[in-house]
Structures are given as structure tokens and as C-alpha cells.
């Protein structure tokens, strides 16, 4: 029977339905993702090969394989897929394989390679054996899944479900794919009896006797690979005769029989290769077997001819199927395996192998635990330095199996577990690191890690306790850099807890020591903390902005990419430039620095949030929402266990509330409720805003008390949140005393003056104090802080106040200016604008003139308006009128628009006024 290079048979039966489904996906005009699962030998690779044969010739096909224990080669699957392709840029390939580049740089390079190879052509990209994949390959698969394609593209991942555990990159990948993408799952089961009969007929060229088919089906359980192995080398077509032979009862036994008749010298090479791993370098095999080059070449040629091994690269060999290798190693004695691992370790040490993972593995299996621990220390440091956190964690845990209290391994395990999102493991390892710290400096580092983890868990009390311990430790630290770094860590802890005064005190102490001892890196870190605190305070924001801008160039010159990126991000978040061009340039600069630092939360997540803010400053709501949605699809870490809530969710929910996409807001609230440790006020704040926009006053009033309770535990306030929630409450018709409390609870002395003035003007308008409200609105018209959407609302508020004073011409001027500011916005702000224009007798922008006022209401709307005047909520309207709450909300919106008002209170005033 003909066998392909990777062990897949030359024929396929019983998979027609699965093949048709994959062909349909490959022909779809939209990018598609499929996960192909099944036990070993079930035919996953064969199905992929058959799919390739069905594709048009212009299809670009990339197929890469992961390897068992592929610790040593990040991006293994892509590197395997592009091996030997002349079209790959050598410079890009060098970046991907160079550990000096950050993992974000290498990830972006991998994506660029795929994009350039595929271009506009239809494409099939296959990542085989993802259960063995390194974390970088799993991350790359996820990114490709989220990319827009210029042509049809099918991305397939194959894996063995029974070999997936939560400590593998694939487990998190599968969960995130389900959250973010439409994924087609194809599960391959064993062949039925009819499938086995069809397989045998295809192999022999004639129908299989029922008795033979039943016998071989019972023997193999319908596993196609087992069937192939039984048929291997069988030249006849008499299946009854085959069944009469002493056939193996298991696949492992069948595979072992392939090598039982080998010469002893050849058998020794096979056993050595099986122990050495999936990909076996010629030189390592020669060193372990002590064979001369010519002799080993002859043996390898025999093994390739017999389809035991295949040549997978220059001077590299692999077993035809992983099951072959497993069958050989399982039959060896423990002492045999240990001696071969010992020989491999000697060769690696003698040649100065740069691969600490390989050294660690062989040292462990050889029982040489001192070498194993030393190699594990080197390997974890290497993998952490290049961003390969899963690999670092695996190596650290190997070492900790033998040296459970080793502080270096505990530190590495803690950092690696944190980076991959295994928060409980990170906490456990960090506590052990703290308890077994090598010295006082090591203990200080462990304390700072514990502070960071407590922040991730939102355990503020624990943060304070650990920070106090770190403060007490500072006098015990060696004079100089260690003390200065600890002071900076205390400043950062205070910054994370929004204790801005303490941040500046400790940053100043660190700065004084850094200047005295000429510690430029510590000085820059302290400046970032101090500048970040200053920029968040209204009265010192300009000073903080200047401080952060002043350190960026120096940080870049020193290669302190993270500090430069943090400084830029804090400027963009708190006090961005007024020029859209400068804003965009600063955003790209932040992304470049974050990419060099390998910090994905800034390189990806914060970048797209910055793009959303830039769109908001341009007054374009659709672009802002699109940026956040794109960022959400790219943000690899938002669903990891133990992380803070979805990086973009709260921001996106706010913009969806702006646009009136209320059903999506409800879904986001559910996601936030399921996320670990959301911001206390986030869910009640969004739920209150949603209830108000849906006109559900009863629910809004209940949720408002939950919001007040959450705010009592929160020591910071947001002026923009105060404006948004007050606007929603006014639109829903909440009573004045509730509006007043919203103003009191959501403002404090640190809120920017512009927002305080805006909220006070809104409250004055709600109380009917139109002159005072107008004065507040007019004072804000030239504010550089407020975005176009809020300035549009300011003009609308001014127009309403002017209408109340019967200054209609001035009111019309303000509506015109609001229209220009809100031309690319939409949602409730534009609805407010249209209601004011209706009161002025102006039609909505780009609309034909329409009848407005009470006379414009339909009979049903007049009925609803009277019930609104009686104080009924949307839910009560629905019950009274036997309609759905959604229909009630539609009626209410139409009434508000036709009457040219924004609140239920105004509806009551109008319908209660007798017609002259």
C-alpha cells in the first residue's frame, strides 16, 4: 500500500460528508476556521490531503506540523509550513527565529509572512497536531483566525481531544476561538463496519467478504491507521487468508512487528531515534549510537525505505507517525531508555548545545538531576526573555519537581504562570518564592510580584499589606539601585490603587536617589509614575503631560521601550493632543515601543482603544466602535483565567449605548458579569444606563441604588460617566431628587472642571433654572478637553435653554453648530438634536419637512402619551396596552421626537396643557 511522506495512506473512505463540509468552507467568500479532532490514526491528515486535492490549482496551501515536546522552537508550526519556500524573505525569517526580538515583533512578522505568501489568492492554512503546539504557534493560529482575508481562506487546526489539558496553549485557544469566531468543528470517529469493508475493497481492488470485513473490523475497532498497518506488506488479495494469520490484536503490537525483524545494528538506531524525540538531528543520532557517518547513512536509508522514518529536513529525520515512535519506546526497558538519554546528554553537553529544553529533558530522563535543574534555570530565563511563557512554565515545573524550593525556578514559574493567565498557579508560586527568597533583594522582587497579582485579583487590602511590607524592607536592602527600584515599585503600587499623592511621594524619593547615584533607568521609571499621577489631576495635568513627553526620547535611546510606551499611553488616555495628526502619530509611536517591549496589552489592546479615542475626537461613532471591535478580536489575553475584565468591553458598551445598540450592551454586561473581578461600578453603571435608555424607570431606580453602593467602595470618579448617566436618567424621567443625588455621588474634587460645569448645567436645566444652565453651557463651548459629541450636546443644551427664553434665532444657531459636530455621530445625541429642531419647526437634517407637536401624534401615540403623563413606565405601558416592552419603547421614542422633547416629564407638561 502506498504511504505518503507524513504517514497518511494513499486512500480515504468513509469521510465523504466531512470532506464536502471542508470543501464548502474552503470555497466560502469569507474567512473560515475549522477544528478537526480525532484520536491518533483516525485519518485527520488523510482528510486534509484529500481536501488539498479538491482545491483549485491557484490555492496557496500552507501545512505545518507541531512536534511532541516542541519546547525549543517557537513558531514551530509556521516554520515547518514555510520550510524550503523561496518566496519567504530571509530577513523576516531571521526576525522570527531571533530571540533578541520581542515575541510581539516575531508574531507580527509571522503574520506578515503569511499575508505575503497568500496575498489575494484563495488559501488553505493547516496547523497539524495543535495539542503539541508551542504557545507562539497557538497564538499565531488565533491571530490568523481573526484577520480579514483578501480572498477565500480556510484555516484548519487538527488535534487529539484526549491529549488536551488546561496547561497547554490549545486549551485556552479553543475557548477563545469559541468566544470570538464562528468555528466549524469536525470530529472524526472510527469507521463503521461498512466503512471497514469499503477500505478493504479499495485496498484489494475487489469487494471484501463479509466474514473478513467483520473479523478485521473487530480486530482494529474501525481505526483506519490500524487497518493500514495490518495491510502493510500484504501483496495478495485473499482477505480470508490474511485473517487466518496470527494478526496483532493492538495497533502498538502491529507497529512493533514492523521493526522486530531488523538487524540488531539497525534496531539500535531505531531505539535511539525513538528516545531522542520527534525530530532527530543526524549528528546527535551519530553521537548517541557511536556509528560512523557512512554506516549511519546506510541504516537510515533502510529505515526510510521501510517507511519507519522519513527525512523531514536537512540532516533531520522523524518517524512516519508518532504512534510508531511511541510503540518502540513503550517496549524498551527503563534502563535502556535511561542509558540512551544519558548518552544524548553527554553529546549535548560536549557540543555546547544552545537548547536548554533538550538538555533538561535528557538530564531528567537520565536521572542526572543537578544538570536538569541547572538547565531548567537557564531555559526558563531564556524563554521568559523571548516571551515564550508556556515553555518557560513547563521547564520551570520540570526543575521544581526535583528542587521544589529553588527560588530562581519559583520566580520564573510565577512570572510565566502570570503571563499565560494561570493566576492561581502564579499566586501559589509567588508565595513559595517569597517564603524561599534567596536574599532580601529577591524577597523584595517577590513582594512586588505579589502586589501585582493582588491588583489583578482586585484585592486592594492585600495590595496594601504587601506594599507596607515592601516599604519596611527598603532600609534592609543594599544601598543604591535596589532601594531605588523598590521605591519605584511602591510608587507603582500606589498608582495602581489610584493613590496619586502617595505615588508622587515615593516617586520623588526614588528620583532623588536615582539622581544621586546616576541610575537613568530607575529615574525614568520614577518619572513615568510621577508624570502619570500628575496628568490624572486636573490642576497638574499639563505639568504631568510635559514630564511624560520629556522622558520619551531618553527612554527610547536607552532601549527602555516599555517606559516609553507607558508614557505615551498615559498621555493619550488622559490628556491627548488636540491635533488628530499628532494624536495618530503618538498612537503609532506607542505601538512601536510596546511591540519592541513585547507588551501585548499596549501593542494591541491599548492601541485599538487609542484608535477608538482618535475616532471619537474626529466625531465618528461608527469608526470608534469598529476600532474597539477589531481590538477585541485581536486582544489575545482578554479571556485568560484570572485576568481583569475584557479590556475593551466597558468602553465598547459605552459607545453602543451612544449608538442605541442596546441588545449588544446587554450581551457585554453578561460577559462582564462572567469575567473575573470586574470593576465594582462597571456592571451597575452599564445596567442603569441600559435601563434608562430602554425607558424602564422601575429597574433603573433599583439599579441606581446598587450603583451608589458600588461607588461608596470606589475612591475615584469619572466626569464623563457622570455626564452619560445623568443624561440617561433625565431622558428616562427620573425624579429630580434622584438626579441631584447622581450629581453628588458621581462627582468629587478630582473631576475635571469642564465635566463638573457640564453636569451642573444639566442639573440646573432639569430644575428649570434655564439662565444658570445656559451660562454653564456657553462657558464650555471653547473647551479643548471635550470631544465633538459632548460639545454637540452642550450646544443642544444651550438651544433648549434659549428656547425656554423664546430666543429662537439663537437657539437655531446652536442647533446648526451641533449638527456639524454630530454629523458622523448618531444615537441619542442626534435624537436630542432632532427633537430641538422639531420644536424650532425645523426638519431633521436631510429629511423632508414633517408635522410636529401634539397634532402629529397618531391616536395610539396620544393614548400612550396620556399614560406617560400618568407616570407609567415602559413595562407598565406594555401590560396596560397588551403590547411588548420593545413596542412600548418604540412608541415612546416616536412621541418624544414628534413633541420635540427629551424627557417624560416634558411629555406630561405638554399633554396636560389645554389646547388654546
Amino acid at each position: 500500500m502506498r504511504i505518503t511522506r507524513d504517514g497518511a495512506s494513499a486512500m480515504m473512505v468513509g469521510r465523504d460528508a466531512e470532506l464536502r463540509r471542508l470543501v464548502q468552507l474552503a470555497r466560502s467568500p469569507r474567512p473560515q476556521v475549522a477544528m478537526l479532532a480525532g484520536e491518533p490514526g483516525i485519518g485527520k491528515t488523510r482528510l486534509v490531503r484529500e481536501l488539498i486535492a479538491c482545491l483549485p490549482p491557484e490555492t496557496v496551501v500552507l501545512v505545518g506540523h507541531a512536534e511532541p515536546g516542541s519546547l525549543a522552537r517557537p513558531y514551530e508550526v509556521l516554520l515547518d509550513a514555510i520550510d524550503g519556500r523561496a518566496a519567504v524573505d530571509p530577513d523576516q525569517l531571521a526576525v522570527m527565529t531571533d530571540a533578541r526580538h520581542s515575541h510581539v515583533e516575531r508574531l507580527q512578522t509571522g503574520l506578515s509572512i503569511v499575508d505575503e505568501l497568500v496575498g489575494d489568492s484563495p488559501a488553505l492554512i493547516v496547523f497539524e497536531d495543535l495539542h503539541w503546539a508551542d504557545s507562539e504557534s497557538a497564538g499565531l493560529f488565533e491571530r490568523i483566525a481573526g484577520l480579514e482575508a483578501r480572498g477565500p481562506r480556510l484555516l484548519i487546526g487538527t488535534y487529539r481531544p484526549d491529549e488536551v489539558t488546561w496547561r497547554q496553549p490549545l486549551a485556552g485557544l479553543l475557548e477563545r476561538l469559541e468566544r470570538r469566531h464562528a468555528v466549524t468543528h469536525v470530529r472524526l470517529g472510527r469507521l463503521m463496519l461498512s466503512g471497514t469493508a469499503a477500505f478493504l475493497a479499495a485496498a484489494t481492488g475487489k469487494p471484501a467478504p463479509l466474514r473478513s470485513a467483520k473479523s478485521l473490523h473487530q480486530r482494529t475497532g474501525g481505526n483506519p491507521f490500524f487497518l493500514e498497518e495490518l495491510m502493510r506488506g500484504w501483496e495478495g488479495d485473499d482477505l480470508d487468508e490474511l485473517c487466518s494469520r496470527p494478526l496483532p490484536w493492538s495497533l502498538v503490537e502491529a507497529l512493533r512487528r514492523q521493526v522486530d525483524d531488523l538487524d540488531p545494528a539497525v534496531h539500535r538506531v531505531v531505539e535511539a531515534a525513538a528516545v531522542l524525540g520527534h525530530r532527530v538531528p543526524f549528528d546527535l543520532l551519530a553521537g548517541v549510537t557511536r556509528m560512523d557517518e557512512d554506516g549511519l547513512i546506510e541504516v537510515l536509508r533502510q529505515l526510510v525505505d521501510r517507511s519507519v522514518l522519513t527525512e523531514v529536513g536537512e540532516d533531520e529525520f522523524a518517524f512516519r507517525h508518532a504512534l510508531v515512535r511511541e510503540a518502540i519506546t513503550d517496549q524498551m526497558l527503563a534502563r535502556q531508555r535511561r542509558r540512551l538519554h544519558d548518552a544524548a546528554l553527554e553529546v549535548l553537553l560536549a557540543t555546547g548545545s544552545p537548547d536548554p529544553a533538550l538538555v533538561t529533558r535528557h538530564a531528567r530522563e537520565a536521572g542526572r538531576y543537578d544538570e536538569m535543574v541547572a538547565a531548567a534555570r537557564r531555559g526558563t530565563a531564556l524563554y521568559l526573555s523571548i516571551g515564550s511563557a508556556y515553555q518557560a512554565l513547563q521547564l520551570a515545573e520540570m526543575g521544581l519537581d526535583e528542587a521544589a524550593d529553588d527560588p530562581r525556578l519559583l520566580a520564573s514559574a510565577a512570572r510565566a504562570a502570570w503571563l499565560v493567565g494561570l493566576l492561581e498557579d502564579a499566586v501559589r508560586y509567588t508565595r513559595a518564592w517569597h517564603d524561599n527568597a534567596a536574599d532580601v533583594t529577591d524577597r523584595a522582587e517577590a513582594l512586588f510580584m505579589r502586589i501585582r497579582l493582588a491588583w489583578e485579583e482586585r484585592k486592594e487590602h492585600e495590595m496594601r499589606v504587601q506594599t507596607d511590607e515592601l516599604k519596611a524592607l527598603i532600609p534592609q536592602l543594599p544601598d543604591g539601585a535596589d532601594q531605588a527600584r523598590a521605591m519605584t515599585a511602591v510608587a507603582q503600587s500606589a498608582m495602581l490603587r489610584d493613590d496619586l499623592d502617595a505615588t508622587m511621594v515615593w516617586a520623588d524619593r526614588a528620583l532623588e536617589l536615582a539622581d544621586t547615584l546616576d541610575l537613568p533607568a530607575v529615574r525614568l521609571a520614577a518619572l513615568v509614575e510621577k508624570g502619570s499621577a500628575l496628568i490624572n489631576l486636573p490642576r497638574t495635568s499639563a505639568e504631568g503631560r510635559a514630564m511624560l513627553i520629556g522622558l520619551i526620547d531618553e527612554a527610547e535611546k536607552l532601549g527602555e521601550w516599555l517606559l516609553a510606551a507607558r508614557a505615551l499611553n498615559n498621555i493619550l488616555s488622559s490628556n491627548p493632543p488636540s491635533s488628530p495628526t499628532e494624536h495618530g502619530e503618538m498612537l503609532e509611536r506607542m505601538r512601536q515601543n510596546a511591540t519592541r517591549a513585547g507588551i501585548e496589552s499596549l501593542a494591541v489592546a491599548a492601541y485599538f482603544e487609542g484608535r477608538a479615542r482618535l475616532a471619537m475626537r474626529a466625531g465618528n461613532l461608527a469608526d470608534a466602535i469598529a476600532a474597539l471591535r477589531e481590538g477585541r478580536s485581536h486582544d489575545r489575553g482578554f479571556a485568560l483565567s484570572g485576568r481583569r475584565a475584557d479590556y475593551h468591553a466597558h468602553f465598547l458598551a459605552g459607545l453602543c449605548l451612544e449608538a442605541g445598540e442596546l441588545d449588544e450592551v446587554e450581551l457585554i454586561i453578561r460577559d462582564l458579569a462572567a469575567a473575573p473581578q470586574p470593576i465594582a461600578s462597571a456592571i451597575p453603571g452599564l445596567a442603569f444606563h441600559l435601563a434608562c435608555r430602554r425607558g424602564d424607570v422601575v429597574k433603573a431606580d433599583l439599579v441606581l441604588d446598587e450603583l451608589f453602593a458600588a461607588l461608596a467602595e470606589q475612591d475615584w470618579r469619572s466626569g464623563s460617566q457622570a455626564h452619560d448617566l445623568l443624561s440617561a436618567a433625565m431622558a428616562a424621567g427620573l425624579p429630580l431628587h434622584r438626579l441631584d443625588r447622581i450629581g453628588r455621588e458621581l462627582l468629587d474634587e478630582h473631576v475635571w472642571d469642564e465635566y463638573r460645569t457640564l453636569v451642573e448645567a444639566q442639573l440646573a436645566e432639569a430644575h428649570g433654572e434655564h439662565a444658570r444652565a445656559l451660562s454653564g453651557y456657553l462657558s464650555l463651548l471653547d473647551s479643548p478637553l471635550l470631544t465633538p459629541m459632548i460639545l454637540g450636546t452642550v450646544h443642544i443644551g444651550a438651544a433648549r435653554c434659549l428656547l425656554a427664553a423664546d430666543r429662537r434665532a439663537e437657539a437655531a444657531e446652536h442647533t446648526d453648530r451641533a449638527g456639524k459636530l454630530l454629523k458622523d455621530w448618531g444615537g441619542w445625541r442626534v435624537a436630542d438634536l432632532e427633537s430641538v429642531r422639531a420644536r424650532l419647526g425645523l426638519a431633521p437634517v436631510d429629511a423632508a419637512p414633517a408635522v410636529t407637536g401634539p397634532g402629529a401624534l397618531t391616536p395610539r401615540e396620544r393614548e400612550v402619551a396620556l399614560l406617560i403623563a400618568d407616570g407609567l413606565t415602559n413595562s407598565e405601558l406594555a401590560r396596560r396596552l397588551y403590547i411588548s416592552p420593545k413596542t412600548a419603547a418604540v412608541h415612546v421614542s416616536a412621541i418624544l421626537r414628534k413633541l420635540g422633547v427629551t424627557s417624560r416629564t416634558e411629555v406630561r407638561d405638554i399633554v396636560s396643557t389645554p389646547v388654546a
Side-chain angles (χ1 to χ4, degrees), residues 612-785:
R613 289 196 182 96
L614 184 56
M616 290 172 66
R617 296 201 71 82
N620 193 313
L621 179 58
D623 284 356
I625 291 175
L628 286 180
R629 284 176 175 156
E630 185 180 357
R632 217 177 175 209
S633 71
H634 281 74
D635 183 11
R636 173 180 166 189
F638 90 88
L640 291 177
S641 170
R643 292 293 190 198
R644 291 196 159 210
D646 179 348
Y647 195 92
H648 300 288
H650 200 173
F651 195 172
L652 179 59
L655 292 183
C656 288
L657 285 163
E658 286 280 339
E661 297 178 12
L662 304 184
D663 290 343
E664 182 166 353
V665 176
E666 188 169 6
L667 293 175
I668 293 174
I669 291 174
R670 290 177 189 172
D671 285 346
L672 284 172
Q677 304 293 335
I679 299 172
S681 64
I683 294 175
L686 291 172
F688 170 72
H689 197 159
L690 179 61
C692 288
R693 292 298 170 195
R694 284 178 167 168
D696 191 342
V697 179
V698 173
K699 182 174 182 180
D701 200 56
L702 290 172
V703 178
L704 185 57
D705 288 324
E706 296 178 22
L707 174 61
F708 290 151
L711 287 170
E713 303 299 320
Q714 180 177 292
D715 55 4
W716 56 270
R717 297 292 183 268
S718 165
S720 61
Q721 183 188 43
H723 161 63
D724 289 343
L725 296 188
L726 181 58
S727 299
M730 292 171 65
L734 263 65
L736 288 174
H737 73 278
R738 298 293 267 174
L739 301 182
D740 289 338
R741 188 174 177 191
I742 289 173
R744 291 195 303 273
E745 296 284 354
L746 271 76
L747 296 176
D748 66 8
E749 68 274 12
H750 296 305
V751 167
W752 292 76
D753 290 340
E754 286 88 341
Y755 281 108
R756 182 186 310 283
T757 300
L758 175 56
V759 169
E760 289 173 350
Q762 289 180 279
L763 287 171
E765 184 184 357
H767 281 275
E769 300 173 10
H770 295 107
R772 186 163 73 89
L774 178 61
S775 176
Y777 287 136
L778 294 178
S779 71
L780 297 171
L781 296 181
D782 296 322
S783 169
L785 173 70

Side-chain angles (χ1 to χ4, degrees), residues 360 364-365 369 372-373 376 393-406 409-410 428-429:
T360 302
R364 180 184 64 177
E365 298 301 330
Y369 296 114
M372 180 195 77
V373 171
L393 181 59
Q394 290 178 53
L395 266 190
E397 289 180 335
M398 274 190 206
L400 289 169
D401 284 343
E402 178 62 25
D405 297 333
D406 186 275
L409 289 174
L410 288 168
R428 175 166 54 86
Y429 284 130

Side-chain angles (χ1 to χ4, degrees), residues 402-666:
E402 178 62 25
D405 297 333
D406 186 275
R408 285 177 58 186
L409 289 174
L410 288 168
S412 296
R415 292 190 176 102
W418 170 62
L419 288 170
V420 301
L422 298 172
L423 193 62
E424 291 182 3
D425 289 328
V427 170
R428 175 166 54 86
Y429 284 130
T430 303
R431 286 175 177 164
W433 173 22
H434 178 250
D435 293 342
N436 293 279
D439 52 36
V440 68
T441 299
D442 197 36
R443 188 177 169 202
E445 292 289 337
L447 276 171
F448 184 55
M449 188 69 187
R450 293 190 68 177
I451 292 167
R452 178 77 192 200
L453 292 172
W455 179 75
E456 296 245 358
E457 294 182 294
R458 296 197 185 279
K459 295 181 178 179
E460 188 167 324
H461 174 71
E462 189 170 326
M463 279 186 76
R464 293 180 187 277
V465 170
Q466 304 298 340
T467 304
D468 288 342
E469 184 178 346
L470 182 57
K471 291 177 187 176
L473 205 62
I474 289 175
Q476 303 173 40
L477 291 168
D479 292 340
D482 287 346
Q483 288 186 335
R485 279 194 294 269
M487 292 172 185
T488 304
V490 173
Q492 188 175 118
S493 171
M495 187 68 207
L496 292 172
R497 290 179 283 113
D498 297 302
D499 187 347
L500 304 184
D501 291 336
T503 300
M504 287 186 282
V505 168
W506 282 96
D508 281 337
R509 291 183 64 181
L511 282 169
E512 182 180 0
L513 199 53
D515 288 337
T516 301
L517 300 175
D518 190 23
L519 304 170
V522 175
R523 175 179 165 276
L524 288 172
L527 282 174
V528 168
E529 304 306 332
K530 182 175 182 177
S532 300
L534 291 171
I535 202 171
N536 277 286
L537 295 169
R539 292 171 181 79
T540 59
S541 182
E543 180 186 353
R545 189 176 191 277
M547 184 176 293
L548 293 174
I549 287 176
L551 66 86
I552 294 168
D553 286 341
E554 184 180 354
E556 290 174 340
K557 289 177 182 176
L558 291 176
E560 296 287 347
W561 311 117
L562 175 57
L563 295 178
R566 283 189 59 208
L568 287 160
N569 184 54
N570 289 336
I571 293 168
L572 292 168
S573 301
S574 302
N575 193 348
S578 56
S579 163
T581 301
E582 186 182 353
H583 190 138
E585 290 172 350
M586 193 171 283
L587 184 61
E588 289 298 331
R589 189 176 181 185
M590 181 209 69
R591 185 183 197 181
Q592 290 172 6
N593 281 301
T595 298
R596 289 169 178 160
I599 305 300
E600 197 159 7
S601 61
L602 291 175
V604 178
Y607 169 76
F608 284 101
E609 187 168 313
R611 273 181 46 185
R613 289 196 182 96
L614 184 56
M616 290 172 66
R617 296 201 71 82
N620 193 313
L621 179 58
D623 284 356
I625 291 175
L628 286 180
R629 284 176 175 156
E630 185 180 357
R632 217 177 175 209
S633 71
H634 281 74
D635 183 11
R636 173 180 166 189
F638 90 88
L640 291 177
S641 170
R643 292 293 190 198
R644 291 196 159 210
D646 179 348
Y647 195 92
H648 300 288
H650 200 173
F651 195 172
L652 179 59
L655 292 183
C656 288
L657 285 163
E658 286 280 339
E661 297 178 12
L662 304 184
D663 290 343
E664 182 166 353
V665 176
E666 188 169 6

Side-chain angles (χ1 to χ4, degrees), residues 79-218:
L79 291 170
D80 184 58
I82 63 177
D83 187 26
R85 285 184 175 262
V88 177
D89 184 344
D91 292 338
Q92 289 185 315
L93 191 59
V95 170
M96 278 200 68
T97 55
D98 188 347
R100 291 172 297 181
H101 291 276
S102 75
H103 74 94
V104 178
E105 286 180 290
R106 287 179 290 142
L107 175 63
Q108 296 298 332
T109 301
L111 291 171
S112 297
I113 289 173
V114 172
D115 184 63
E116 290 171 13
L117 287 174
V118 171
D120 298 330
S121 302
L124 173 67
I125 303 171
V126 184
F127 280 38
E128 289 257 35
D129 296 323
L130 276 172
H131 51 280
W132 288 326
D134 57 280
S135 55
E136 290 83 1
S137 292
L140 181 64
F141 184 94
E142 183 177 357
R143 288 303 177 82
I144 295 172
L147 290 179
E148 290 296 324
R150 289 175 277 173
R153 185 195 67 208
L154 174 57
L155 176 65
I156 295 178
T158 73
Y159 67 101
R160 302 178 185 176
D162 293 343
E163 298 191 23
V164 179
T165 71
W166 281 108
R167 302 188 75 76
Q168 293 173 301
L170 177 60
L173 171 64
L174 289 171
E175 182 181 358
R176 293 193 298 276
L177 286 174
E178 288 294 338
R179 284 174 174 260
R180 304 184 202 180
H181 308 288
V183 179
T184 299
H185 290 275
V186 179
R187 183 71 176 259
L188 297 185
R190 295 191 170 197
L191 297 177
M192 304 293 288
L193 175 59
S194 59
T196 299
F199 183 98
L200 296 171
T204 61
K206 64 180 184 179
L210 179 61
R211 183 173 135 188
S212 298
K214 282 184 175 180
S215 175
L216 292 172
H217 183 74
Q218 181 183 11

